[in-house]
Amino acid sequence: MNRQPFEQYFTSIKFEKLSPEEIIKRSAEHFNIDADMLSKPDRYHKYHYPRWHIYLMLSIDQYLMLNHGDIAKYFKRDRTTILHGIQQLKQQMQIYPETMEKIREHHKAVYGHDCYLEFMLIKMLFASEIRSEEHTSELQSHSDLVCRLLLEKK
């Protein structure tokens, strides 16, 4: 049995550079929803859960390198909302193993592969912050709301 070295396998995969608009469009197709509805203020579960997935995809895309403020513009929201959505999905990944599989399926539907997805997700899950340049006024969790400024002073 001939096995390709990891480097050859990794370099043989075609990495497609997608625009944020294309990622949103492909994601909407994957979730079978209208892409225009993603930027509407509707809080119905049918839209907010896919939004969280898309926020995550846009934040970990290795070519775009978007910060939460940049992502927020595509959804007509503020960056705290983006951070909150990613935090919600992050918590679900830690509690529900099937969430990781749903993210993997979404990633494959958008990019056609998932070869660097796990590295990016592990990095995100175990990093103290998703993006160090993000400075929001608060860090939201299920149990409490903690002022980030107080945390940074300690």
Side-chain angles (χ1 to χ4, degrees), residues 37-38 50 59 81-82 97 107 118 121 127 134 136 148:
M37 291 302 292
L38 294 169
S59 70
T81 301
I82 305 305
H107 195 275
E118 292 207 24
L121 290 175
E134 288 300 318
T136 59
R148 185 176 297 197

Side-chain angles (χ1 to χ4, degrees), residues 104-118:
R104 184 177 285 111
E105 289 169 8
H106 176 211
H107 195 275
K108 282 183 180 180
V110 171
Y111 294 98
H113 63 82
D114 67 349
C115 63
Y116 76 92
L117 175 66
E118 292 207 24

Side-chain angles (χ1 to χ4, degrees), residues 11 33 65 105 108 114 125-126 128-129:
T11 56
I33 58 175
M65 300 302 290
E105 289 169 8
K108 282 183 180 180
D114 67 349
L125 283 172
F126 295 106
S128 61
E129 296 296 331

